Amino acid sequence: MDALAALMKGPLPDLYFCIGNPVVGNPTQYMVEEAFSALNHPGRYLTCEVQPTELEASMWGLRALQFAGGNVTAPFKQQVFPFLDDLSESARLCQAVNCITRQPDGTYVGDNTDGKGFLQSLKEALGDIAQRKVILFGSGGAASAIATELVLAEIRELVLVNRSEDKAQAVAKRLQGISKTIVRTEKWEGTYRLQEDGLVTVQATSVGLFNKQACINVEFEGGLKDCLACDVVFNPVDTAFLQKAREAGWKTLDGLGMLVNQGSIAIRNWTGLEPDRTLMRRSLEEAFAVLTK
């Protein structure tokens, strides 16, 4: 009856979107709508596959229909820039947008919540991270977003490791001098050995996504103190990378927390409400269980 009353008398529910290509198998809609329901927020979230040639038309359509906000996934995280009115500091520095919010004046602002979601998970796992050295594998969208937030958080040192060193150097150049964090790159040749006490390492490539056996070529030194291995891959939750780290005695942090946190931040941007992250994580686990059947 509430839905009927809104239809006949208003206000109509807020509309949100996820655009990308492909988007089949993306669990965000289920997670967000479960969170909306628990918050009694009258929002509807629509997952839309957009052809690259139709991105411009789609973005103007979303604006014309006054969507309240939404998410952007590959391959459009940079291509949406011309259709936005402003960018957050995070989006500008990492040069990627994954979250868009309609402001009260009707303008649309792009943000990147991926790195913020990861940083929240990292702080929950470690507490103070100011004196940490982080080795980050990858230089794509997720890696760039995470690197940006780590530098803004002023960790002690960030080492960007990638097979294509020029890509890592481009990210490092963009982040140099933003804070007191030392940012440098290392070329990834053969097996990369992780062998320092207190080290944090982040697997920010897509290796291992939907593949339980796949793992980047790294070696974890055993017997180290206070080390943490993190993976941004969220399906499977317990990746081969994390298993390998645990076998060497490292603590681990899975990618599901980052996915939940970035979604939580987006909902807060859109609604001003604080969603239930436990419920959101449970909804993702349910969605992935369906995918694996």
Side-chain angles (χ1 to χ4, degrees):
M1 187 60 70
D2 289 342
L4 179 58
L7 177 64
M8 302 307 293
K9 300 179 182 180
L12 295 173
D14 290 332
L15 295 178
Y16 304 86
F17 61 83
C18 174
I19 58 171
N21 191 318
V23 288
V24 173
N26 189 316
T28 303
Q29 178 172 331
Y30 184 64
M31 176 181 71
V32 170
E33 291 208 323
E34 287 290 288
F36 282 169
S37 178
L39 290 167
N40 293 315
H41 177 66
R44 295 300 307 276
Y45 188 100
L46 306 175
T47 301
C48 308
E49 184 159 288
V50 174
Q51 297 302 318
T53 55
E54 298 295 331
L55 177 62
E56 181 175 3
S58 299
M59 288 301 297
W60 291 123
L62 293 168
R63 293 184 71 124
L65 294 171
Q66 298 184 45
F67 272 66
N71 293 118
V72 181
T73 188
F76 302 131
K77 290 186 177 184
Q78 292 179 312
Q79 296 176 28
V80 297
F81 279 25
F83 311 108
L84 301 174
D85 301 296
D86 201 2
L87 298 173
S88 69
E89 180 182 32
S90 295
R92 187 167 55 253
L93 288 174
C94 73
Q95 296 189 352
V97 163
N98 79 321
C99 180
I100 297 173
T101 303
R102 187 177 190 270
Q103 303 299 310
D105 62 0
T107 57
Y108 284 80
V109 176
D111 190 13
N112 195 301
T113 61
D114 283 334
K116 294 174 183 176
F118 173 80
L119 186 66
Q120 184 174 343
S121 288
L122 186 64
K123 287 182 174 180
E124 288 170 352
L126 295 177
D128 184 18
I129 61 171
Q131 297 306 312
R132 292 285 182 164
K133 175 181 177 180
V134 178
I135 294 180
L136 177 65
F137 294 98
S139 60
S144 180
I146 290 169
T148 297
E149 295 303 329
L150 290 172
V151 170
L152 290 174
E154 299 190 345
I155 63 168
R156 177 171 58 85
E157 183 177 1
L158 175 63
V159 182
L160 303 172
V161 181
N162 196 60
R163 297 292 186 192
S164 301
E165 193 175 15
D166 57 333
K167 292 183 179 180
Q169 288 173 343
V171 175
K173 183 178 180 180
R174 195 159 63 238
L175 298 177
Q176 289 284 0
I178 291 172
S179 75
K180 62 183 181 182
T181 301
I182 299 169
V183 183
R184 61 186 182 86
T185 66
E186 288 184 4
K187 191 169 183 179
W188 192 358
E189 294 179 327
T191 301
Y192 193 97
R193 289 174 172 78
L194 300 157
Q195 46 194 4
E196 296 178 47
D197 286 334
L199 192 63
V200 176
T201 185
V202 185
Q203 199 296 111
T205 78
S206 61
V207 174
L209 185 62
F210 304 119
N211 188 331
K212 293 181 179 180
Q213 285 74 46
C215 184
I216 60 173
N217 189 8
V218 296
E219 182 179 299
F220 294 92
E221 181 79 16
L224 299 178
K225 299 177 181 178
D226 196 24
C227 291
L228 179 70
C230 316
D231 202 331
V232 304
V233 168
F234 50 80
N235 192 1
V237 176
D238 191 24
T239 62
F241 177 83
L242 296 180
Q243 293 173 22
K244 192 173 184 178
R246 274 200 309 276
E247 289 170 1
W250 288 48
K251 296 177 182 177
T252 59
L253 182 66
D254 66 52
L256 208 54
M258 171 180 162
L259 187 58
V260 168
N261 289 339
Q262 66 83 26
S264 173
I265 295 166
I267 291 172
R268 201 159 58 238
N269 285 351
W270 300 332
T271 69
L273 302 173
E274 188 65 47
D276 183 340
R277 291 190 294 148
T278 300
L279 178 146
M280 292 171 70
R281 184 178 178 107
R282 187 165 62 245
S283 69
L284 287 176
E285 291 169 345
E286 291 173 7
F288 294 143
V290 170
L291 279 176
T292 56
K293 286 183 179 178

